[in-house]
Structure formats: C-alpha cells, structure tokens
Amino acid sequence: MKQVLIILNRGGWGDGGLERAREERGVLEGISQVLVSQGFNCQVQIFDRLRSLTFLKHAKTAWDLLFGYAQASRNLTQEIRATFTVSPERRILLVGYSLGAILNISTMKLLAYEPRLYSIQLGAPFFLRSLVNEKTLNLQRKDDAFSSGPLFAFLLVILKACLVVAVNIGTFQGTSILGAWHIENHDYPWEDPRVRVPLEQFLRSHFR
C-alpha cells in the first residue's frame, strides 16, 4: 500500500503532541481522509521545534524564528532525509500552520530538489515569500491580516491580540499566554470551503 508521512509544524511555539494541536486537528483529519480515499496509508507526527533544546528553549526558539527557523529547518531536513533512507518509496507531506508555515518554507528551500516532499502552508506571515512550485500550496485568507497584510493591518491585529491576553490574563487557568493568544480571522478550519476545496484539489492532484 502507498505510504505517506504527514509532518505537522504547529503554530505558536510548535511544541506538544497531537492532543495540543487544537487549531490543526480538523485539517489533519480532513487531509488524512482524502489521502486514504486516494489509496494511501497515512501516519501523522508532529515536529517539536523545542525538542532538541535543553536550556532556554523558548528564547532560543524565538531567536531562531528571527532567522526563518534556520536551525529548526536543518533539524527537520535531517529527519526527512533519514526517513527517505529507510523508506525510499514513502512520500512526506509537511503541513505548517501560522508560524509553523515558516518552517515549511525554509525546509522546502533546503530540499527543493526532493520529488517525494510536498508542503501545505496555512496562514504564513504575509511578508515571507514561499517557493512557487507545483509541490507547494500556500493558503492565505484575504481577511487574515496576519497572512495577507498590509503591514498596518498586521500590526493592528497583533496589538489587539495582545490586549485581549492582557485583559483576560487571570482567566487562563494554567494555559500559557501564547496558547491563549488568538489572532482574528487567523483560523483555517477544514469545514470552511475556502480551506477545504483548495486542499482537496491539491491532494487529489499530487497523491494518486
């Protein structure tokens, strides 16, 4: 049976398992269903950007973010190459949401020659340029200022999200500030035809 490994690059800090992937879970399930209908056996894993760090994890991750996740993309590239060495017939699909889409973009640049690697990027920041090729789907909602801009609108939604966190900081009950941080219209649910339809078209075109 044809095999595909789905690697999720989560938004936020990019840590934790599938149980914490609230925003991405619906899309992952939808993608898996389409691939199964295409005759693929799917395995899903999360690339934890904090996993290889032992000291000052969040500070190092924030610093790496400033450079487009240069170190994290090298780590992920090593894992992808190792997977292809063990299972050369397997395909890999990167799914990146929000800040995780940045990691997709950097990794695809490092492995631009790899025909078995595909990328779906949801809500990448508007100021980043993704590779334009048939193996990459870069989905950015027009009403999502984080991914579509312009700069003024982007800064406005960031400020609004920060104010919401500040006002409600006492109600999180153990949730991290970044976990409670939410940007307006920065959701990409599978149920939304603007999300589901292009994803289905991309998957059915490339996974046959």
Side-chain angles (χ1 to χ4, degrees):
M1 193 174 189
K2 297 177 290 187
Q3 305 283 331
V4 58
L5 172 62
I6 303 171
I7 299 178
L8 173 64
N9 290 315
R10 296 187 57 224
W13 291 117
D15 58 338
L18 286 171
E19 70 281 354
R20 296 182 59 183
R22 295 171 300 170
E23 297 90 348
E24 304 93 345
R25 190 176 299 133
V27 166
L28 283 177
E29 292 175 354
I31 289 173
S32 297
Q33 290 172 3
V34 174
L35 291 174
V36 168
S37 72
Q38 296 289 95
F40 284 86
N41 181 29
C42 299
Q43 178 186 353
V44 179
Q45 72 179 45
I46 290 183
F47 180 73
D48 187 341
R49 300 196 284 278
L50 301 183
R51 182 180 58 199
S52 62
L53 304 176
T54 56
F55 182 65
L56 295 176
K57 291 185 175 185
H58 294 88
K60 290 180 178 178
T61 300
W63 180 256
D64 195 29
L65 172 60
L66 295 177
F67 295 93
Y69 285 128
Q71 183 59 55
S73 62
R74 287 194 292 268
N75 294 342
L76 179 54
T77 295
Q78 290 178 353
E79 292 193 14
I80 292 171
R81 285 173 174 161
T83 298
F84 284 142
T85 298
V86 175
S87 304
E89 75 290 345
R90 175 178 287 187
R91 302 188 204 182
I92 293 180
L93 173 62
L94 302 179
V95 178
Y97 170 66
S98 190
L99 296 182
I102 300 175
L103 181 52
N104 273 39
I105 293 170
S106 296
T107 303
M108 290 299 288
K109 288 178 179 178
L110 292 175
L111 292 170
Y113 61 87
E114 178 51 68
R116 296 162 292 180
L117 182 65
Y118 303 82
S119 177
I120 292 175
Q121 295 143 199
L122 306 173
F126 77 94
F127 47 81
L128 284 180
R129 294 200 173 190
S130 171
L131 287 177
V132 179
N133 61 46
E134 63 176 11
K135 298 190 305 167
T136 298
L137 174 64
N138 192 42
L139 190 59
Q140 296 170 302
R141 287 175 45 176
K142 292 182 179 180
D143 60 346
D144 177 10
F146 186 85
S147 64
S148 297
L151 179 60
F152 173 77
F154 171 81
L155 294 176
L156 192 62
V157 296
I158 294 294
L159 177 60
K160 183 177 179 180
C162 291
L163 289 175
V164 170
V165 169
V167 170
N168 298 282
I169 197 166
T171 65
F172 294 155
Q173 298 179 346
T175 303
S176 68
I177 290 178
L178 193 57
W181 199 60
H182 179 75
I183 298 176
E184 186 177 7
N185 296 325
H186 193 50
D187 301 303
Y188 289 77
W190 180 259
E191 296 77 15
D192 189 335
R194 296 172 298 177
V195 176
R196 185 184 69 255
V197 172
L199 287 181
E200 286 181 334
Q201 292 174 342
F202 177 82
L203 295 169
R204 296 191 190 282
S205 172
H206 294 289
F207 293 85
R208 293 184 284 189

